[in-house]
Amino acid sequence: MTTIETHSPAETEQVGAALAGRLSAGDVVGFTGGLGAGKTVFTRGLARGLGYDGDVTSPTFALIHEYRGGRVPLCHMDAYRLNGADDLFETGFYDYLDGGWIVAIEWNERAGVAPAVAVAIERVDDDTRRIRLEGRGY
Ligand code: ADP
Ligand code: MG
């Protein structure tokens, strides 16, 4: 387990980009942490670290965003509205995993997936976040 404190969104993105180097196809990154914690900012860093240059925004309404073109394609899910395993199956989650994607899940407590890397983000104050990483050498 590793705990890192960041003091700007850019720093949180850097932590995400560093994690990207440890991931491969079929890995799940599971986020916990409330609204505005920085889950989407961190995922933007993941995408950047994989070599994806486009927009990375909250998938709250679409449920899933797909970022292709990096070293491994990244699927960005918001599980906030999911209720258990059947809902997760409906999203195509397992198709992404079998299809060689990395899947980043915000609100993973709602999806209940055992991730390769668990990322828990806590808001300390306006600009400070405490990020706890677990798995893949963290
Ligand atoms: P979530 O996806 O967890 O709801 P977002 O990533 O969408 O959260 O938003 C995080 C918000 O917190 C952004 O407005 C961002 O600018 C702000 N922020 C301030 N400091 C940090 C930091 N150290 N790391 C990440 N985000 C931060
Ligand atoms: Mg978000």
Side-chain angles (χ1 to χ4, degrees):
M1 208 245 275
T2 303
T3 303
I4 301 171
E5 232 175 60
T6 65
H7 301 93
S8 68
E11 273 185 44
T12 295
E13 277 195 36
Q14 280 170 24
V15 178
L19 169 58
R22 302 185 186 206
L23 298 177
S24 51
D27 280 344
V28 174
V29 178
F31 291 98
T32 54
L35 196 66
K39 303 178 294 295
T40 295
V41 167
F42 190 108
T43 303
R44 183 172 301 124
L46 265 185
R48 296 285 176 265
L50 291 168
Y52 173 82
D53 295 329
D55 287 346
V56 173
T57 57
S58 173
T60 302
F61 299 105
L63 202 67
I64 289 180
H65 286 170
E66 296 183 345
Y67 312 127
R68 304 163 193 267
R71 178 173 64 79
V72 183
L74 175 65
C75 167
H76 184 191
M77 286 184 47
D78 187 323
Y80 189 77
R81 288 188 193 76
L82 298 190
N83 257 311
D86 288 352
D87 281 1
L88 183 65
F89 184 83
E90 292 292 321
T91 65
F93 170 76
Y94 296 100
D95 299 322
Y96 285 104
L97 287 192
D98 295 344
W101 293 61
I102 292 167
V103 183
I105 311 182
E106 300 196 21
W107 301 99
N108 186 44
E109 57 268 52
R110 312 278 176 121
V113 174
V117 180
V119 181
I121 311 181
E122 187 191 333
R123 183 186 182 283
V124 177
D125 62 30
D126 278 0
D127 297 325
T128 310
R129 300 292 185 271
R130 190 169 299 128
I131 304 174
R132 202 188 67 215
L133 299 138
E134 207 163 0
R136 285 294 141 78
Y138 284 108

